[in-house]
Amino acid sequence: MSHTASAPGKIILFGEHAVVYGRPALAIPVTQVHADVEVLDSARAGIWIHAPDVNLHAELNTLPSDHPLASVIHNFLFLFRVTPFPNLEIKISSTIPVASGLGSGAAVTVALTRALSAHLAHPMPDEEINAFAYEIEKLHHGTPSGIDNTVITYAMPVYFVKGQTIETFKVGTPFTIVIGDTGISAPTKESVGDVRKLWEADKTKWENVFDKVGEITEEARKNIESGKWELLGELMDQNHNLLQEMTVSSPELDRLVSTARSSGALGGKLSGGGRGGNMIALVNGNLAKSVAKSIREAGAKHVIITQVS
Ligand code: PMV
């Protein structure tokens, strides 16, 4: 018997970093990329994990207990007091670029948890999957806000305030985003830690900056819901400037953002932790391909065109 589960990637549209300090953020699933997990009964002893993308073929107990995949499995088995351990083969693959702000870690965690839950007959509603995935995120990412696991678990546009509000929201009129990957892998933990140092050194100044991000995010949500998506371009530009001020942009991100703008995008910004990873640009649907081409020529390693609906 086998069970499979899949989880999408995600991007943050507005509000990254400020979200760690209680301001709202908007994120959307990106279904063009996904993590997939299959759990099968096995004839051989042990829990064998196969993740060919990262060249991993190992039995659970040979992995360090803080290994991201091992920690999901151990925590799951502990949560449901599964003893003795079943004999399993677990196949994990993902098309989500790692450490680039597309939520690869959270997507693998969500897909793996869902596949284990189905296979071992311990049903978990989305709320429980989300809470579990958040605990795993905290093990690996210091002080994450929880936005990644939330948007990936629900696979819908999400308005998020840490520890307070998780709302899915409606998109008045679908719109198109081009996502460009710098190809530079940048750990979110570091950029989050650096923003924390800035904040600790001058809380008044940074609370003010985070407030501005929060206002942009609120306005963006209103515009998305009422179908005025063209207005998001200017808001993305403003949000990008504030992220630059937080020192989390990079020359490569800035280059892709300005290339997108000069080739017809209505606005753009980095998305996620920053320093590397992805940028996004708002485009008229008919310009998506040509903006994507320009970004690629300016050095983007992967480009995704996605509809927000
Ligand atoms: O790099 P990503 O997309 O996983 O997102 C990080 C978002 C931050 O706001 C920078 C951190 C967080 O935990 O919300």
Side-chain angles (χ1 to χ4, degrees):
M1 210 189 13
S2 86
H3 291 84
T4 58
S6 180
K10 75 100 208 356
I11 49 159
I12 295 181
L13 286 183
F14 290 95
E16 51 275 272
H17 288 287
V19 71
V20 176
Y21 299 83
R23 273 59 166 196
L26 305 181
I28 56 162
V30 177
T31 51
Q32 283 86 350
V33 287
H34 40 90
D36 296 277
V37 175
E38 183 178 15
V39 179
L40 305 95
D41 290 328
S42 172
R44 62 174 163 169
I47 295 180
W48 288 83
I49 303 163
H50 308 281
D53 301 337
V54 289
N55 209 6
L56 176 77
H57 298 277
E59 206 287 316
L60 178 64
N61 288 320
T62 66
L63 295 174
S65 59
D66 63 352
H67 185 282
L69 298 173
S71 64
V72 174
I73 300 168
H74 277 301
N75 278 285
F76 183 93
L77 297 173
F78 180 78
L79 177 67
F80 291 107
R81 297 187 172 77
V82 181
T83 49
F85 283 9
N87 294 335
L88 301 172
E89 305 282 332
I90 301 179
K91 298 179 185 168
I92 299 168
S93 62
S94 172
T95 58
I96 309 173
V98 175
S100 67
L102 284 167
S104 68
V108 169
T109 298
V110 167
L112 177 53
T113 308
R114 284 211 174 109
L116 286 169
S117 141
H119 194 76
L120 299 174
H122 290 292
M124 293 173 86
D126 281 348
E127 215 182 318
E128 206 176 325
I129 295 278
N130 194 27
F132 182 84
Y134 185 43
E135 292 307 311
I136 301 293
E137 289 279 286
K138 283 197 269 190
L139 294 177
H140 305 299
H141 298 301
T143 55
S145 62
I147 192 168
D148 277 27
N149 45 280
T150 303
V151 63
I152 286 166
T153 298
Y154 293 96
M156 286 182 71
V158 161
Y159 170 94
F160 180 90
V161 181
K162 183 183 175 180
Q164 283 183 29
T165 316
I166 301 171
E167 286 171 10
T168 54
F169 63 95
K170 292 234 164 60
V171 177
T173 308
F175 57 94
T176 307
I177 297 280
V178 177
I179 306 170
D181 188 350
T182 59
I184 298 166
S185 87
T188 295
K189 200 171 178 169
E190 277 173 29
S191 64
V192 169
D194 289 350
V195 173
R196 184 159 295 272
K197 282 183 206 141
L198 292 173
W199 176 76
E200 270 161 3
D202 189 347
K203 291 190 183 156
T204 315
K205 170 180 173 182
W206 292 103
E207 288 292 333
N208 192 23
V209 170
F210 300 148
D211 277 343
K212 287 187 196 152
V213 175
E215 283 158 24
I216 291 170
T217 303
E218 295 290 358
E219 202 174 330
R221 177 180 172 171
K222 278 188 210 134
N223 289 330
I224 294 173
E225 287 181 317
S226 60
K228 294 184 198 143
W229 60 267
E230 310 86 0
L231 300 179
L232 299 176
E234 171 63 26
L235 294 173
M236 283 186 180
D237 290 348
Q238 290 172 13
N239 196 164
H240 187 69
N241 292 344
L242 294 168
L243 288 160
Q244 284 176 321
E245 210 176 320
M246 292 177 215
T247 74
V248 297
S249 194
S250 71
E252 297 80 6
L253 283 164
D254 289 343
R255 186 170 68 237
L256 298 186
V257 168
S258 63
T259 301
R261 287 179 191 144
S262 60
S263 56
L266 299 168
K269 61 182 277 294
L270 71 86
S271 173
R275 300 272 166 81
N278 283 278
M279 50 69 70
I280 57 176
L282 177 76
V283 295
N284 263 306
N286 58 350
L287 283 182
K289 283 198 178 138
S290 65
V291 171
K293 184 165 175 272
S294 305
I295 294 177
R296 222 177 263 119
E297 282 163 5
K301 301 294 181 288
H302 304 96
V303 179
I304 298 170
I305 298 171
T306 194
Q307 271 257 325
V308 184
S309 57

